[in-house]
Structure formats: structure tokens, C-alpha cells
Amino acid sequence: MAFEHPFYFLRHGETEWNRTHRTQGQLDSQLNDTGRAQAQRAAELLRDEPIERIVASPLSRARHTAEAVAVHHDAEIVFDEALKECHLGDNQGQPHGPWLAQYWTGQYDSPNGETYGEFCERVWNAMQRAVAGGPNTLIVAHGGLWKAAHEFVPVEPQIMPLPNALPLHVTPGKAGWRQRALGQ
């Protein structure tokens, strides 16, 4: 299965845990006031884009961001459990630490969580399924998913770490993906 169509990617709006550098993983933290405003701004930036389909993580921070966008489009939101953020096991709910940078390079496995390799495979397959549904699909998920995608395909220009609620339009090509940030 390959990425044959251009698509959109949107990381959820800010949560209090993003702001305070607390590890969310698959815990269900809510958007804060800033995150709700970011979701509304992203929805406005995507208002005139030809989005036909929205596939999102079921975690509330992504779900509420997707719902803000869906108001402007005649598109049902499909939730996919495989688009959840990485499961960081015993580290979920804890402050960020040096272990987190090691996790993102595959050099640390969070106790009772999934390895970085397992996470990358899971979300890569989920993203492929989402985009295989047709052109103009919007994936609303988490920053970790975008980082995982970079393990499989070069993405230019680099925007890492991906800011909260920055809509991207992605065009797959033979040599990699081109991404265009909307509203910048």
C-alpha cells in the first residue's frame, strides 16, 4: 500500500500537559484554552481546502480538533484506534525526562509500553489506510505520528517538532513528501 494521493495532516491543539511538558502518550488529556483557540484557527485555515474525508485518533485532544475542522466540511469523522499516540507505559503522566529523547531514537523502551519500532509500524500502516480512502483526506492525530512518518519517508521542508494545530498539505512523490504549512 502506498501513498498515492495528496493529503492533509493536523496535530491536535495544545493541552495543559503539552504546556507543562508532561508525558501524555495514550492518556486522554483535554485541550486547554490555547488548544481550543488553535483548533479554531486551524479550522479557519482549512475552511476552503477540498477536504473530503477526516480520519482521526479517538483521543479527545485529536477528536475535538477534528470536530472543529469538520464544522466547515461535509465530511464524517472516522476514528481509528491505530492513530493514537505512542503508548509510553509507566512513563505516561510523568514529566518529560532524558528517556524521551532516547525513546524517539529507538534507544529506550518505556516499561509496559510499546517500543518505538512497534509504534512506527502501527501508525505508518494506519496512515496508509487513511490516505488510501481517497484524495483530500485529513488525518488529525499527534506529533509522534508525524515523527514516525519521517522514519519511512523523507519529508521536505523539515518542520520538527511539529507545532500544535499547524495544518499541513502533503504531496507524496517518488523521492519523498513535500509538505506545505497552511497559514505561515
Side-chain angles (χ1 to χ4, degrees):
M1 190 180 332
F3 289 85
E4 298 175 5
H5 310 288
F7 66 98
Y8 298 86
F9 186 88
L10 179 61
R11 180 184 178 199
H12 61 79
E14 183 185 82
T15 68
E16 195 60 23
W17 288 19
N18 289 137
R19 192 185 68 72
T20 61
H21 306 287
R22 191 169 166 196
T23 304
Q24 296 175 106
Q26 292 188 359
L27 296 180
D28 203 13
S29 55
Q30 304 288 316
L31 295 178
N32 61 18
D33 289 342
T34 299
R36 285 186 287 280
Q38 290 171 333
Q40 290 303 316
R41 180 178 181 272
E44 287 300 319
L45 291 170
L46 290 165
R47 176 189 286 265
D48 296 325
E49 297 295 323
I51 294 170
E52 298 173 10
R53 189 165 178 264
I54 301 173
V55 183
S57 161
L59 294 174
S60 65
R61 56 194 186 265
R63 184 178 70 244
H64 293 147
T65 302
E67 289 168 349
V69 174
V71 167
H72 302 298
H73 299 277
D74 185 25
E76 176 185 358
I77 303 170
V78 175
F79 296 102
D80 185 341
E81 291 283 325
L83 289 176
K84 285 183 176 179
E85 184 62 279
C86 50
H87 191 297
L88 293 170
D90 295 350
N91 289 308
Q92 295 184 145
Q94 302 301 313
H96 291 180
W99 63 269
L100 189 56
Q102 294 173 335
Y103 178 82
W104 293 122
T105 60
Q107 297 173 356
Y108 174 81
D109 295 336
S110 192
N112 299 309
E114 65 186 330
T115 68
Y116 182 60
E118 292 166 341
F119 167 64
C120 289
E121 285 292 328
R122 170 174 60 83
V123 300
W124 182 251
N125 290 329
M127 290 175 67
Q128 286 185 86
R129 281 192 309 275
V131 173
N136 300 316
T137 297
L138 168 64
I139 298 173
V140 183
H142 310 275
L145 275 78
W146 201 238
K147 183 164 185 47
H150 286 70
E151 297 292 333
F152 294 89
V153 63
V155 182
E156 294 294 334
Q158 286 288 318
I159 305 173
M160 202 53 75
L162 184 62
N164 289 98
L166 176 66
L168 301 175
H169 182 259
V170 183
T171 305
K174 291 180 182 174
W177 291 352
R178 295 288 307 161
Q179 66 182 352
R180 177 176 53 91
L182 305 178
Q184 283 193 324

